[in-house]
Amino acid sequence: MTNSPYFPVLVLLAAGVGFAIAPLALAWIWAWKFSPRKPGPSKNAIYECGLESAGDAWIQFHPGYYLYAIIFLVFDIEAVFLLPFAVAFAGLTFAAGMAMLVFLLLLVEGLVWAYQKQVLVWS
Amino acid sequence: MDEHLKTELRKQGIVATTLQELYNWGRKNSLWPLNFGLACCAIEMIAASMARYDMARFGAEVFRPSPRQADLMIVAGTVTKKMAPQVVRLYNQMAEPKYVISMGACAISGGPFKQGYNVLKGIDRYIPVDVYIPGCPPRPEALIDALMTLQKLIDKQSLTGADRPRHLQAEAPSEFIVPRFGAHDLEPPQNPEVWDAPLVNISLAGTDDAGKH
């Protein structure tokens, strides 16, 4: 067995596992011998910011965020793509121009939809 | 073990120690404070942890943002009655062994705001304090002095026996009453298990010269 080329790997593996387990085992033995466990309601609480947690974590979030996501795509991402498109416009092929047009139309569709939803109304 | 024999061995390059000394040596040199400041004393605490005063020299630079990983609570600043329940709950959530340094006049007694309706008159009303640092605010050197005092305290703690510290006694509490922010005051106004009200008898009879001038 010691002649096997994998023997050093086995030794390293054992040493690695021992290196990980030994401190944990030592801490466990120490706690069992000297230091008693003292759980309590505050100590076992989930949150650790000093405040008591209020309510349930399983709540529904209002899905209004998708409006912001659409508007962000229309105004921000579009600008990011439009600038290189405008710079490289003269050298583009017809197919590339069409692809960009489709992309723009999709985003404009989002803008029209947002307009119809009256998201853009400032009140 | 005989101290004299130990120093003799030390001269020969042999270090003799006990489990208790090793344990205390490890604990006192890795006091991780809770990342937690309440008022202006916290600025001095931050200064103490920075390069100029360098609390890292005492192994206490790792300010933990979670009470689960902290050993030391430095109550740095004015504890308002609104904040006191949170302070006590954070202390309860710290794992044993845990220590408290009451930093500054406010944390000790309410300080200049003692007469205020909204200020707790000393955090030692709710949690056991190990070291008090007077000052308004105490300088970083004072905090380092308090840390060294705490290190000396930890060094003296015994691992077994009747006088062993609280965290080694199974029946001693690890959590203390979290006060409730009531309509008029905190409820209860103090924890009698922790706080011994000092018996002060102030008599002004005969020595009161108010109104004579």
Side-chain angles (χ1 to χ4, degrees):
Chain A
M1 186 188 166
T2 49
N3 294 329
S4 162
Y6 288 106
F7 183 68
V9 177
L10 196 72
V11 171
L12 268 178
L13 192 73
V17 170
F19 194 76
I21 287 178
L24 291 175
L26 263 176
W28 186 80
I29 290 169
W30 187 276
W32 167 74
K33 184 87 178 68
F34 294 110
S35 200
R37 281 166 201 276
K38 290 180 182 179
S42 283
K43 212 174 181 180
N44 291 345
I46 297 164
Y47 285 98
E48 45 195 49
C49 55
L51 293 162
E52 277 182 307
S53 54
D56 196 5
W58 290 89
I59 55 166
Q60 285 185 331
F61 287 95
H62 194 264
Y65 179 71
Y66 71 108
L67 286 175
Y68 295 99
I70 291 278
I71 303 293
F72 178 76
L73 273 176
V74 170
F75 287 110
D76 205 88
I77 306 292
E78 192 176 11
V80 169
F81 280 102
L82 270 184
L83 189 69
F85 174 66
V87 169
F89 186 71
L92 283 183
T93 60
F94 178 71
M98 282 308 288
M100 198 59 201
L101 204 66
V102 170
F103 173 69
L104 281 181
L105 275 174
L106 281 172
L107 285 179
V108 166
E109 192 190 344
L111 186 62
V112 169
W113 175 83
Y115 184 76
Q116 279 181 346
K117 276 268 204 178
Q118 302 204 323
V119 180
L120 303 175
V121 179
W122 189 272
S123 58
Chain B
M1 191 176 176
D2 184 28
E3 281 297 318
H4 184 66
L5 179 61
K6 211 191 275 181
T7 31
E8 280 301 310
L9 282 170
R10 188 68 211 244
K11 278 178 196 161
Q12 303 299 318
I14 299 167
V15 179
T17 186
T18 57
L19 207 55
Q20 177 184 310
E21 274 177 18
L22 209 60
Y23 177 55
N24 286 345
W25 173 77
R27 283 190 313 134
K28 78 173 185 183
N29 289 309
S30 62
L31 278 171
W32 290 4
L34 186 62
N35 197 346
F36 167 71
L38 292 173
C40 24
C41 282
I43 306 296
E44 301 294 316
M45 181 178 74
I46 293 160
S49 69
M50 288 290 130
R52 190 177 179 89
Y53 296 99
D54 200 11
M55 244 158 64
R57 292 175 292 160
F58 305 93
E61 82 282 15
V62 201
F63 277 81
R64 304 313 297 178
S66 163
R68 321 269 195 216
Q69 304 163 353
D71 307 299
L72 170 64
M73 176 184 250
I74 302 173
V75 185
T78 318
V79 188
T80 56
K81 285 180 181 168
K82 196 91 175 176
M83 194 63 191
Q86 278 73 263
V87 174
V88 179
R89 198 173 287 116
L90 281 175
Y91 179 74
N92 285 349
Q93 287 179 341
M94 283 163 68
E96 292 273 20
K98 52 190 174 186
Y99 302 94
V100 178
I101 289 178
S102 181
M103 184 178 183
C106 292
I108 294 173
S109 68
F113 313 110
K114 190 177 173 68
Q115 308 298 325
Y117 63 95
N118 63 332
V119 171
L120 183 69
K121 284 128 191 79
I123 192 61
D124 54 357
R125 285 170 188 240
Y126 292 111
I127 55 178
V129 174
D130 296 281
V131 182
Y132 297 86
I133 329 171
C136 188
R139 285 187 56 84
E141 291 97 329
L143 181 58
I144 287 171
D145 183 52
L147 195 72
M148 288 164 76
T149 311
L150 185 61
Q151 286 185 326
K152 280 172 200 150
L153 279 177
I154 293 171
D155 208 29
K156 273 187 234 140
Q157 289 184 334
S158 57
L159 195 54
T160 50
D163 60 337
R164 63 194 192 278
R166 194 186 73 221
H167 72 276
L168 298 176
Q169 295 176 7
E171 65 279 1
S174 166
E175 292 197 7
F176 296 90
I177 303 168
V178 179
R180 211 172 55 79
F181 188 68
H184 301 291
D185 199 359
L186 289 169
E187 296 162 3
Q190 68 265 328
N191 185 354
E193 288 171 36
V194 177
W195 194 60
D196 292 323
L199 288 168
V200 182
N201 186 13
I202 301 171
S203 171
L204 294 175
T207 58
D208 187 11
D209 56 356
K212 280 184 182 173
H213 303 290

